[in-house]
Each structure stands twice: as structure tokens, then as C-alpha cells.
Amino acid sequence: MNTSSAETAEVSEPTRDASVANRLRTRLITNDTGWRRPLLLAATLVLGARLMLSVWAALVLGYLPTTDLQHQYAHTGVPLQTSGLAAPWQREDALWYEKIATQGYSPTDGTSAFPPLLPALMRLVSVITLGNSALAGILVGSLAAIVALALIYRLTTLDSTPSAAFLSVVYLGLFPTAFFLYSGYTESLFLALAMGAFWLARQGKWPLVALLAGMAGAAKVQGGLLFLPLAFEYIAWSGWSLAALRRHAVEFTAVVVASPLATATFFAYVTYVVGDRLPWNARVNLMWTQRATNWPGETLLVSLQKIINEQMLTINAFDLIVFLSFATLAVGAFRLRVSYGLQAATVLLPSLLRVSAQFPLMSMSRYVLAAFPCFIVLSVWADKRPRPVRLLILVLWVSLLLVWSSQFVRGYWVG
């Protein structure tokens, strides 16, 4: 393989990477032309999924019974749209982000449970959508999803084949709860920032890693835990050299503190500026009744008991199946790359520290969208299996996507 003298000089300098060959491989695949296929694939999938879900939502709302949506969401103080692209997706958290984007935070209405980056972007984009903040949320989510899906393609190619990378885009973009990625929720925004941080970390661009990690901490409270896998990634890049860490102590510290500092700043803002003195966890438990903090084993036990009592496939059964499946994939993520396993763990484990009587593993099937290493592991595994296996996963994904999206637009709890 021929490389330019500049590239050869760059990778032959003293480096903090344990593997010069890996550094060279990363360098050679980060050229601009390498983004054309993943961006085109991601944009095509997002636009196609957005169109499919919009048509499906119109059919569901036109022919299936719904809850009393106006009454159900009256407590948010956000009027529901009765027509248009955004109308079917004005549900649950999307309404709270819309309220923050249009009215700001208040110490008494529950808005302080939601981090600020998404509503801030919605407010900016609402200029384009002529003041329609709900539509702005969909636009922000969809654009972020394109970036996230392109990034998972590129990240997968670092450790596997282009065919596995293709599967990673499809499996993430059409996951049964992937409609959250294309709505006014934080999942796609957080994914774009977190995967962007990992992509830059694989290239050693640590100031930018710290910037994106900080933004991730402002997009999602759980983003404050992103410092764990990124710190490990930095240490690995340094070749496990204590001397190297000392020489670059400021850079390493920036990577470690960026995401928790952003989250802590949000907490301080709602406490001292907004005036909501309740701790964030207490505010969340108050927002969703019958929800309490507990030890992880109790959450799983309550979930199993709930499923046995229901005796049918509900979102509770699906949440438990998803958790167990992704816990298994997280083990595979540790084997692929330790920092990947840590990232998956920071997504899965916090949800086990709270339990709700009605939905014990509340939102688990949505939260796992942020565990991108699990999708990489699944895609690498599926890439080595016969084509019918890969197609079976896709058919199952799309079928459940239609099921849970229909429940969501009708006003039933999904995530």
C-alpha cells in the first residue's frame, strides 16, 4: 500500500497509540470521499423511514381508536396539532421539549427534568419552520439521525466489513422503536454527539472529543456518564503509558470532565436560576408517578412479576426482552472494544436503578437506541450468518416498528 511522505511521517512520529498500524488504518479511512456512501445511505433510510411512518401514522389515526389525546396531554400545557407532519408525533417527552423551546423552564411545571440542548436547537430551527416547534423537533431529530447513521457506518468499518457497516445502519435505523430517532426526542441528537466523539477519539482529536462529549452531557442527562468510555479510549490511545498521561494531563482532564460538567451545569441552572430546588432524580420520580429509586435486582424482579400478571405481549414484556438481548450484546461489545462495552453499560445500567409499578423497565426499549456498540456487535454477528438470518432480523424489526409506532401515535405508552 502506498502512502504519501507526509502521511508516513505523521504516523511514524512518537505516538500515544499502542498500535501504529491501527493509527495508519484510521488515518487512511477518514478521507472525505469515505463519507459519501454512508451519508447517502443514511439520508435515504431516514427519508424513507420518515415517509413510511408518516403514511402509517395517518392510516392508524384514521382507522384505529385512540385515547382522548387532548385530555391525556393537557397537563403539559402544549396544544396538540390536529393536522400536519408533526401532529402524530406530539406525544410524551416531545411535548415537554416543545414547551421548553417555546416557553423556557419553570420551577413548578416539570420542565426542569429535561436537558436543554434539544429545545435550544428546536428554538433555532423553528425560524425555518415558521414557529412550528413540533415540526422543528422532527427536523432536528431527522437531521441528527442522518449524522448518527452515517457515523455508525464509519465506526463499524473500523472494526469490520462494509457489509456489516451497511447492516448497522439498517438495524439501528429500523429498530422497533426507531421512530423516536425521527421525532422530537433526544436519542438521535445524543447518538450523533456520542458517536462523533468516539469517531474523533479513534483519530486522537481530543479537543473536539471533549467538545462533543460536553454537548452530549447537555443533550441527555445520562450523557454525563460518557466520560467513562472516553477516558478508557484515551488511556488506550496513550498506549497505557502513565508518562504520556502526565504529559497530556490537561487534554485528558478535558475529555474526562466535559460531559459530567455539562450535566452538572444543567443541574445548577435549574436549581439556582430556574429555582427548582428538587434534586433531578426526585423531580423525575415525581414527574412519573409510582416511580422510585431501588436496587437493580428489584427492578428486574418487579418487571418479571408484571409480565406474568399481564399474560400477554405488552411493552413491559418487550422492554425486558430488549434489556436481556442488549445485555448480551453489551458483553460482545466489551470483547470488540472495552470502551464500547463501557458505553453500552452506561446506557443499560442506570435504568435498573429506578422502578415503576406500571412500567418497571420504563423506556428501556427507547434508551437502548443510544447503546450504539450493541448494534455494531449485532451487525458484525449477522454479517457472518446466512442471508435468511439477516432478513429475518429486518422483517422482525420492521414489523415491531409498525406495532409500537401505532401504539405511540394512538397515545399509549411505549417509551
PDB file of all heavy atoms in Angstrom, residues 208-225:
ATOM      1  N   LEU A 208     -11.726  18.179  20.218  1.00  0.00           N
ATOM      2  CA  LEU A 208     -13.063  18.034  19.627  1.00  0.00           C
ATOM      3  C   LEU A 208     -13.870  16.952  20.339  1.00  0.00           C
ATOM      4  O   LEU A 208     -15.091  17.059  20.462  1.00  0.00           O
ATOM      5  CB  LEU A 208     -12.944  17.705  18.138  1.00  0.00           C
ATOM      6  CG  LEU A 208     -12.396  18.820  17.245  1.00  0.00           C
ATOM      7  CD1 LEU A 208     -12.241  18.342  15.807  1.00  0.00           C
ATOM      8  CD2 LEU A 208     -13.306  20.047  17.307  1.00  0.00           C
ATOM      9  N   VAL A 209     -13.186  15.901  20.800  1.00  0.00           N
ATOM     10  CA  VAL A 209     -13.866  14.871  21.586  1.00  0.00           C
ATOM     11  C   VAL A 209     -14.484  15.487  22.834  1.00  0.00           C
ATOM     12  O   VAL A 209     -15.645  15.229  23.174  1.00  0.00           O
ATOM     13  CB  VAL A 209     -12.877  13.752  21.984  1.00  0.00           C
ATOM     14  CG1 VAL A 209     -13.520  12.798  22.990  1.00  0.00           C
ATOM     15  CG2 VAL A 209     -12.415  12.989  20.750  1.00  0.00           C
ATOM     16  N   ALA A 210     -13.714  16.326  23.528  1.00  0.00           N
ATOM     17  CA  ALA A 210     -14.219  16.979  24.738  1.00  0.00           C
ATOM     18  C   ALA A 210     -15.414  17.872  24.422  1.00  0.00           C
ATOM     19  O   ALA A 210     -16.396  17.912  25.181  1.00  0.00           O
ATOM     20  CB  ALA A 210     -13.106  17.789  25.396  1.00  0.00           C
ATOM     21  N   LEU A 211     -15.348  18.570  23.288  1.00  0.00           N
ATOM     22  CA  LEU A 211     -16.461  19.448  22.899  1.00  0.00           C
ATOM     23  C   LEU A 211     -17.743  18.654  22.679  1.00  0.00           C
ATOM     24  O   LEU A 211     -18.810  18.999  23.211  1.00  0.00           O
ATOM     25  CB  LEU A 211     -16.094  20.217  21.634  1.00  0.00           C
ATOM     26  CG  LEU A 211     -17.205  21.079  21.018  1.00  0.00           C
ATOM     27  CD1 LEU A 211     -17.629  22.172  21.987  1.00  0.00           C
ATOM     28  CD2 LEU A 211     -16.756  21.676  19.683  1.00  0.00           C
ATOM     29  N   LEU A 212     -17.660  17.576  21.902  1.00  0.00           N
ATOM     30  CA  LEU A 212     -18.855  16.777  21.618  1.00  0.00           C
ATOM     31  C   LEU A 212     -19.345  16.061  22.871  1.00  0.00           C
ATOM     32  O   LEU A 212     -20.557  15.910  23.069  1.00  0.00           O
ATOM     33  CB  LEU A 212     -18.561  15.768  20.511  1.00  0.00           C
ATOM     34  CG  LEU A 212     -18.299  16.337  19.122  1.00  0.00           C
ATOM     35  CD1 LEU A 212     -18.259  15.222  18.091  1.00  0.00           C
ATOM     36  CD2 LEU A 212     -19.350  17.371  18.732  1.00  0.00           C
ATOM     37  N   ALA A 213     -18.432  15.617  23.725  1.00  0.00           N
ATOM     38  CA  ALA A 213     -18.838  14.970  24.970  1.00  0.00           C
ATOM     39  C   ALA A 213     -19.605  15.944  25.853  1.00  0.00           C
ATOM     40  O   ALA A 213     -20.617  15.576  26.476  1.00  0.00           O
ATOM     41  CB  ALA A 213     -17.610  14.438  25.711  1.00  0.00           C
ATOM     42  N   GLY A 214     -19.137  17.194  25.918  1.00  0.00           N
ATOM     43  CA  GLY A 214     -19.859  18.201  26.683  1.00  0.00           C
ATOM     44  C   GLY A 214     -21.249  18.453  26.132  1.00  0.00           C
ATOM     45  O   GLY A 214     -22.220  18.576  26.887  1.00  0.00           O
ATOM     46  N   MET A 215     -21.368  18.500  24.822  1.00  0.00           N
ATOM     47  CA  MET A 215     -22.680  18.694  24.200  1.00  0.00           C
ATOM     48  C   MET A 215     -23.590  17.495  24.473  1.00  0.00           C
ATOM     49  O   MET A 215     -24.796  17.659  24.694  1.00  0.00           O
ATOM     50  CB  MET A 215     -22.521  18.916  22.701  1.00  0.00           C
ATOM     51  CG  MET A 215     -21.807  20.205  22.347  1.00  0.00           C
ATOM     52  SD  MET A 215     -21.518  20.406  20.566  1.00  0.00           S
ATOM     53  CE  MET A 215     -23.211  20.633  19.983  1.00  0.00           C
ATOM     54  N   ALA A 216     -23.010  16.287  24.486  1.00  0.00           N
ATOM     55  CA  ALA A 216     -23.803  15.093  24.803  1.00  0.00           C
ATOM     56  C   ALA A 216     -24.332  15.155  26.224  1.00  0.00           C
ATOM     57  O   ALA A 216     -25.461  14.737  26.505  1.00  0.00           O
ATOM     58  CB  ALA A 216     -22.959  13.831  24.604  1.00  0.00           C
ATOM     59  N   GLY A 217     -23.526  15.689  27.151  1.00  0.00           N
ATOM     60  CA  GLY A 217     -23.977  15.842  28.525  1.00  0.00           C
ATOM     61  C   GLY A 217     -25.081  16.869  28.673  1.00  0.00           C
ATOM     62  O   GLY A 217     -25.853  16.818  29.628  1.00  0.00           O
ATOM     63  N   ALA A 218     -25.163  17.795  27.710  1.00  0.00           N
ATOM     64  CA  ALA A 218     -26.241  18.792  27.723  1.00  0.00           C
ATOM     65  C   ALA A 218     -27.463  18.316  26.951  1.00  0.00           C
ATOM     66  O   ALA A 218     -28.534  18.912  27.045  1.00  0.00           O
ATOM     67  CB  ALA A 218     -25.745  20.111  27.119  1.00  0.00           C
ATOM     68  N   ALA A 219     -27.305  17.238  26.182  1.00  0.00           N
ATOM     69  CA  ALA A 219     -28.421  16.697  25.398  1.00  0.00           C
ATOM     70  C   ALA A 219     -29.216  15.673  26.182  1.00  0.00           C
ATOM     71  O   ALA A 219     -30.436  15.565  26.030  1.00  0.00           O
ATOM     72  CB  ALA A 219     -27.908  16.072  24.110  1.00  0.00           C
ATOM     73  N   LYS A 220     -28.540  14.916  27.027  1.00  0.00           N
ATOM     74  CA  LYS A 220     -29.174  13.825  27.750  1.00  0.00           C
ATOM     75  C   LYS A 220     -28.450  13.682  29.083  1.00  0.00           C
ATOM     76  O   LYS A 220     -27.216  13.651  29.115  1.00  0.00           O
ATOM     77  CB  LYS A 220     -29.063  12.531  26.925  1.00  0.00           C
ATOM     78  CG  LYS A 220     -30.053  11.448  27.279  1.00  0.00           C
ATOM     79  CD  LYS A 220     -29.935  10.327  26.253  1.00  0.00           C
ATOM     80  CE  LYS A 220     -30.931   9.208  26.512  1.00  0.00           C
ATOM     81  NZ  LYS A 220     -32.328   9.638  26.344  1.00  0.00           N
ATOM     82  N   VAL A 221     -29.194  13.587  30.177  1.00  0.00           N
ATOM     83  CA  VAL A 221     -28.561  13.520  31.493  1.00  0.00           C
ATOM     84  C   VAL A 221     -27.625  12.328  31.582  1.00  0.00           C
ATOM     85  O   VAL A 221     -26.528  12.417  32.148  1.00  0.00           O
ATOM     86  CB  VAL A 221     -29.632  13.465  32.598  1.00  0.00           C
ATOM     87  CG1 VAL A 221     -29.024  13.102  33.946  1.00  0.00           C
ATOM     88  CG2 VAL A 221     -30.346  14.816  32.696  1.00  0.00           C
ATOM     89  N   GLN A 222     -28.028  11.198  31.007  1.00  0.00           N
ATOM     90  CA  GLN A 222     -27.161  10.031  31.013  1.00  0.00           C
ATOM     91  C   GLN A 222     -25.872  10.276  30.232  1.00  0.00           C
ATOM     92  O   GLN A 222     -24.893   9.539  30.386  1.00  0.00           O
ATOM     93  CB  GLN A 222     -27.899   8.821  30.424  1.00  0.00           C
ATOM     94  CG  GLN A 222     -29.048   8.312  31.271  1.00  0.00           C
ATOM     95  CD  GLN A 222     -30.344   9.099  31.079  1.00  0.00           C
ATOM     96  OE1 GLN A 222     -30.364  10.103  30.372  1.00  0.00           O
ATOM     97  NE2 GLN A 222     -31.415   8.646  31.697  1.00  0.00           N
ATOM     98  N   GLY A 223     -25.861  11.327  29.422  1.00  0.00           N
ATOM     99  CA  GLY A 223     -24.643  11.681  28.705  1.00  0.00           C
ATOM    100  C   GLY A 223     -23.512  12.083  29.632  1.00  0.00           C
ATOM    101  O   GLY A 223     -22.341  12.079  29.233  1.00  0.00           O
ATOM    102  N   GLY A 224     -23.864  12.439  30.864  1.00  0.00           N
ATOM    103  CA  GLY A 224     -22.831  12.761  31.834  1.00  0.00           C
ATOM    104  C   GLY A 224     -21.917  11.599  32.144  1.00  0.00           C
ATOM    105  O   GLY A 224     -20.809  11.776  32.655  1.00  0.00           O
ATOM    106  N   LEU A 225     -22.355  10.375  31.820  1.00  0.00           N
ATOM    107  CA  LEU A 225     -21.545   9.183  32.059  1.00  0.00           C
ATOM    108  C   LEU A 225     -20.628   8.852  30.889  1.00  0.00           C
ATOM    109  O   LEU A 225     -19.866   7.888  30.957  1.00  0.00           O
ATOM    110  CB  LEU A 225     -22.460   7.982  32.335  1.00  0.00           C
ATOM    111  CG  LEU A 225     -23.381   8.093  33.552  1.00  0.00           C
ATOM    112  CD1 LEU A 225     -24.298   6.880  33.636  1.00  0.00           C
ATOM    113  CD2 LEU A 225     -22.567   8.231  34.829  1.00  0.00           C
TER     114      LEU A 225
END
